[in-house]
Every structure is written in structure tokens, then in C-alpha cells.
Amino acid sequence: MLLLVGPYALLAILAIAARQLGWKAAGAAKALPLSFLIAFLAAAAATGRAEAGLVYWLIMGGLACGLAGDILLLDKGRFFKQGVVAFLGGHVLYIAAFALSGLRPTWRMLMPIAGYFGLY
């Protein structure tokens, strides 16, 4: 797990620092943490360290859609709608993954969500 969390956290810190410091490569740095996560999960599936079922691939597809959305939104003037559609596709894939995972939320799990939407 440390092999996943450590580099991911460092890449995320790099992306945040690049944005805050106004580096020219800040847009590209934003894609680094998500690219690493997708590559790590693909390698885990290829080596047999993770059982790559349908839910696994749906989550990886959602991550890829998020990466595509980030890249498309680097130029908001030209690709804003495409970026939004990419994020929408990712969320649809996440919903499908959680619906197929067999997770059955209890009322205790749903109460914070209901409270948030109630306040909203």
C-alpha cells in the first residue's frame, strides 16, 4: 500500500505546488497523480495482484475519464463542454461500479448524505 500512497501523495503535492507557484507546467503536473494511479492499477491487474473484474475496470474507466476531463479543461475556452462530458462519463462509470459491487448502504451510511442535501 505504501508503494501506492507514497508516490501518489508526492505527485499530488507537486501538482499543488506547481499551481501555487505559477509554473508553466502546472497544467501537465495536474495530470500526474491520476496518471500514476491508473498506471499502478493497470500494472496490478496485469501482474495478477488485483482481481480485475468488471467493477475494477469500471473504476479504472472512471479514473481515465477524470484524467481526460482534466486534460480537456486545460484549455477551457475550446474544450469546456468536452471536459464536462468526460467528467460526467466518469461519474456514470463510478455509479455503475458501485451499483455492481454489491455494496448495500445502511441508513447510517446514508444519513450524512441526506443531511448534506437537506442543508443544500
Side-chain angles (χ1 to χ4, degrees), residues 54-55 58-59 89-102:
L54 178 61
V55 171
L58 287 170
I59 290 174
H91 284 82
V92 169
L93 290 173
Y94 291 140
I95 290 169
F98 287 117
L100 294 174
S101 71

Side-chain angles (χ1 to χ4, degrees), residues 36-91:
F36 171 78
L37 186 58
I38 293 169
F40 188 89
L41 294 175
T47 59
R49 296 195 181 257
E51 185 176 330
L54 178 61
V55 171
Y56 188 88
W57 291 108
L58 287 170
I59 290 174
M60 280 188 56
L63 291 170
C65 286
L67 178 61
D70 282 341
I71 292 169
L72 289 167
L73 288 181
L74 289 175
D75 186 3
K76 292 179 186 170
R78 292 179 39 199
F79 300 112
F80 180 75
K81 289 180 184 177
Q82 293 89 337
V84 170
V85 170
F87 283 121
L88 173 65
H91 284 82

